[in-house]
Amino acid sequence: MLKLLIYASGFSAIFLNRFGLPITNDFSLSFSYIFIYLALAYAFKEGLVKLDVGLLLCFAAAIFSGVISLLQGYPDKTLTSFLLLIFIYFPFTFISVPPTSSKATLSHLFYPMLVFLGIAGISQFFFQFLAKPDWLFDYRPFLPLYLQNKNIMNTVIPIGSFIKSNGFFLLEPSGFSQWMALGIFFFGAFAKPFFTFFVFLTGLITSFSGTGIILLLFIAPFSLLLFDSSRRSLVIFFVLLFALGSFLAGDQLLVSRVSEFQGGTQLQTTSAAARFINPIIPLKEHLLKSPQLLLWGTGPGTIFRISRDYDSHDPVWAKLFLEYGIVGGFLFLIFIFRSTVSSNGSRAVSFLFFIQWFFLGGHLLALDVVAVYVLYYKLPFYD
């Protein structure tokens, strides 16, 4: 039964991104987290997991700080955002009781799913050159209203005359590129078949998203340490081939990509600036107004409610410290650090998951992304 619930959660996290149970006008509860709580309840009943007192105290300290942020923040703060934070991260207060290996969860559960996701994304990308039906890049409008994921995402993103692949099942090309990059790491770390590497590489290319490339740069050093000689050589060869291709394409290509990181206060700006540079601006504009805001933040849910004349996304580092201040931000990070290091997970995987979560997207309240982390760290029983 537990294995079935774990499988259902993992399957939902990857393939049911566009489905959800509407809770508010702009938020839907993902099926992956419904199965997460069912799996935790079953594992708790069977004595396979238990609440850790130390983690529970760390979580309580972070939540108490969040209550202060909620009480003292800006008027347009939202209780819903704060309750969602508690709901998403409460599972991290659990630890598995018997010695377990998280490798099985990634190798036997997620890896086949990522391969299928890559094939779906590649097929989606090339099918658009034959036909471009309305459902090809976003089929949410064709779902019943009571099953649609209401979370706002950039699902259909054109680049020139074609559209970036989002993996067909996912909400954004960025998310697709990140899972393809992690697939490349799992390919080498778990010595998987070689054809899967080309699936992930092609999927990464068709996403046309830089976040997967950034994650791949962090993966490269681990390839020298953890991959066998043949897989290490393959990865190094394609990294060099990509570098050569960029060089032959001319300086303009490299300059155009680097220039995307130039932020500013223009309403229209690049995706890279909105994701990595511009979130610094509200931190400076609001947290430095008073010691109270610096310590406790502007309050839950305010990152998209404060007025501004520039595009800015909500990466975890910006949302966490803007809304909860330096006290709440650091208390929450201490809790996450203690919770993940207390598991039997790989340090390399933990590092890559942290880079993905903290820097590469608005993952603080992204249920389907965090659900994968819960399955890896807290429910490593899929074997």
Side-chain angles (χ1 to χ4, degrees):
M1 182 63 179
L2 179 59
K3 186 174 181 179
L4 178 63
L5 291 171
I6 291 173
Y7 179 86
S9 181
F11 180 88
S12 301
I14 300 297
F15 298 115
L16 298 185
N17 263 212
R18 305 189 188 193
F19 292 77
L21 299 178
I23 304 299
T24 65
N25 290 332
D26 56 358
F27 170 74
S28 298
L29 177 61
S30 70
F31 290 102
S32 62
Y33 245 79
I34 295 175
F35 290 119
I36 282 288
Y37 269 91
L38 290 174
L40 271 176
Y42 184 86
F44 184 78
K45 181 179 74 73
E46 296 295 319
L48 297 174
V49 299
K50 67 177 182 179
L51 276 171
D52 182 84
V53 175
L55 292 177
L56 193 59
L57 290 175
C58 283
F59 186 61
I63 296 307
F64 179 76
S65 174
V67 170
I68 297 177
S69 301
L70 184 67
L71 295 175
Q72 299 190 5
Y74 285 176
D76 52 357
K77 56 190 177 292
T78 62
L79 176 63
T80 305
S81 178
F82 182 55
L83 294 178
L84 182 58
L85 183 79
I86 297 173
F87 174 77
I88 292 177
Y89 292 95
F90 177 70
F92 284 87
T93 61
F94 288 84
I95 59 172
S96 59
V97 176
T100 54
S101 172
S102 301
K103 176 182 176 181
T105 302
L106 297 178
S107 180
H108 302 325
L109 174 63
F110 281 109
Y111 195 83
M113 292 184 182
L114 292 182
V115 173
F116 187 84
L117 177 67
I119 294 173
I122 295 167
S123 302
Q124 176 196 53
F125 179 80
F126 287 105
F127 188 81
Q128 70 178 305
F129 298 106
L130 300 176
K132 200 175 292 184
D134 294 337
W135 50 263
L136 184 59
F137 288 90
D138 189 4
Y139 53 80
R140 277 183 297 177
F142 297 90
L143 300 175
L145 290 176
Y146 57 85
L147 288 179
Q148 288 185 20
N149 187 336
K150 300 295 184 181
N151 300 340
I152 300 173
M153 293 288 184
N154 298 321
T155 302
V156 182
I157 303 179
I159 177 170
S161 60
F162 51 88
I163 299 174
K164 299 178 180 182
S165 176
N166 54 37
F168 187 75
F169 299 100
L170 302 182
L171 288 169
E172 285 190 310
S174 176
F176 179 51
S177 72
Q178 291 172 33
W179 288 125
M180 292 299 96
L182 287 169
I184 290 175
F185 172 76
F186 299 149
F187 152 78
F190 302 142
K192 293 295 185 177
F194 282 92
F195 85 91
T196 59
F197 169 80
F198 294 100
V199 170
F200 296 135
L201 180 65
T202 307
L204 181 62
I205 293 172
T206 60
S207 73
F208 288 89
S209 175
T211 56
I213 299 297
I214 292 173
L215 195 55
L216 200 59
L217 293 177
F218 285 99
I219 289 171
F222 292 110
S223 68
L224 301 176
L225 302 173
L226 302 178
F227 295 5
D228 60 36
S229 58
S230 56
R231 287 170 176 79
R232 180 168 59 245
S233 300
L234 183 66
V235 172
I236 292 175
F237 171 77
F238 277 95
V239 168
L240 294 176
L241 186 64
F242 175 79
L244 178 62
S246 300
F247 175 78
L248 294 177
D251 293 339
Q252 190 60 40
L253 175 63
L254 296 175
V255 170
S256 65
R257 297 304 295 177
V258 173
S259 66
E260 290 187 10
F261 287 87
Q262 296 176 357
T265 56
Q266 295 80 23
L267 181 61
Q268 297 297 327
T269 187
T270 65
S271 172
R275 189 183 301 271
F276 299 107
I277 305 300
N278 287 354
I280 299 174
I281 302 175
L283 290 174
K284 293 165 58 179
E285 289 179 343
H286 295 272
L287 292 190
L288 298 182
K289 282 184 176 181
S290 69
Q292 175 182 310
L293 287 173
L294 181 63
L295 291 175
W296 308 111
T298 57
T302 53
I303 191 168
F304 281 135
R305 296 173 182 267
I306 55 179
S307 61
R308 54 191 172 214
D309 60 351
Y310 51 89
D311 285 339
S312 180
H313 293 175
D314 61 335
V316 170
W317 58 268
K319 181 176 176 65
L320 189 60
F321 284 100
L322 177 69
E323 296 183 356
Y324 295 95
I326 60 174
V327 175
F330 280 115
L331 283 175
F332 192 80
L333 287 180
I334 290 171
F335 165 67
I336 292 297
F337 177 77
R338 282 204 57 184
S339 180
T340 53
V341 298
S342 66
S343 72
N344 293 316
S346 159
R347 290 186 179 180
V349 173
S350 295
F351 175 77
L352 296 175
F353 276 168
F354 180 79
I355 294 296
Q356 180 191 31
W357 175 75
F358 196 65
F359 293 106
L360 300 184
H363 297 321
L364 185 65
L365 303 181
L367 285 88
D368 286 322
V369 174
V370 181
V372 176
Y373 306 153
V374 176
L375 291 175
Y376 177 70
Y377 290 112
K378 304 304 173 181
L379 290 165
F381 303 111
Y382 191 91
D383 198 357

